[in-house]
């Protein structure tokens, strides 16, 4: 059974409880790494400058505490394997739907892979109610 590395667990710990719940369940059946939870000003500025984010600090869901967004990548890591990212997203939403039906989480999520402009395949964020 897959499990989180220390770094992934630390990054996930900075995230909203519903994101944590989904990821903690998902790791039991799908191997992935958490690459980003909370992102401070310097990291957000760098992401913006590199073109990996369209928003400046403090306007990213990653900039809140707890983070309202998490970035995860499937193992084995292949940034060009979009099909694997789509597979991971399907598994993420299946787990999220199950946990919501059970009353274990209360939020729904948005996937960056569905965005029209900047496709952000690792990105999942809490939908604001």
């Amino acid at each position: 059974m897959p499990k989180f590395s220390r770094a992934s667990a630390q990054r996930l710990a900075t995230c909203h409880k519903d994101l944590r719940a989904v990821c903690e369940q998902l790791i039991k059946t799908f191997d992935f790494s958490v690459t980003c939870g909370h992102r401070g000003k310097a990291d957000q500025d760098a992401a913006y400058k590199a073109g990996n984010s369209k928003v400046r600090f403090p306007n990213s869901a990653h900039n809140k505490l707890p983070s309202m967004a998490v970035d995860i990548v499937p193992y084995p890591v292949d940034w060009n394997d979009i099909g694997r990212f789509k597979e991971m997203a399907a598994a993420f939403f299946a787990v999220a739907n199950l946990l919501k039906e059970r009353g274990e989480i209360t939020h729904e999520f948005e996937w960056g892979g569905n965005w029209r402009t900047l496709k952000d395949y690792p990105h999942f964020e809490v939908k604001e109610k």
Side-chain angles (χ1 to χ4, degrees):
M1 176 170 72
K3 65 179 186 172
F4 291 122
S5 68
R6 181 178 296 141
S8 283
Q10 289 173 340
R11 291 177 190 125
L12 185 60
T14 68
C15 295
H16 185 278
K17 64 183 177 115
D18 285 1
L19 284 169
R20 290 193 320 264
V22 173
C23 288
E24 288 165 358
Q25 187 66 34
L26 180 60
I27 195 65
K28 294 177 182 178
T29 58
F30 195 98
D31 200 5
F32 65 96
S33 178
V34 179
T35 60
C36 186
H38 174 72
R39 190 183 294 149
K41 184 176 182 347
D43 289 336
Q44 184 63 37
D45 288 348
Y48 181 82
K49 186 176 181 179
N52 296 326
S53 178
K54 290 200 167 215
V55 295
R56 292 185 183 270
F57 184 86
N59 300 317
S60 169
H62 284 285
N63 302 150
K64 296 177 174 62
L65 265 178
S67 179
M68 300 301 277
V70 67
D71 291 348
I72 59 178
V73 279
Y75 268 23
V77 176
D78 179 351
W79 294 100
N80 297 313
D81 189 351
I82 304 307
R84 186 81 169 130
F85 279 95
K86 289 179 178 179
E87 181 183 348
M88 180 181 68
F92 181 96
F93 284 109
V95 168
N97 290 336
L98 178 65
L99 294 181
K100 190 156 189 212
E101 286 175 10
R102 291 181 184 166
E104 295 178 33
I105 64 172
T106 58
H107 290 82
E108 294 183 357
F109 305 95
E110 182 176 345
W111 179 46
N114 288 332
W115 293 346
R116 289 184 183 163
T117 55
L118 175 68
K119 296 288 188 182
D120 192 352
Y121 294 105
H123 184 91
F124 295 85
E125 74 179 58
V126 174
K127 281 187 179 179
E128 298 292 334
K129 290 185 176 184

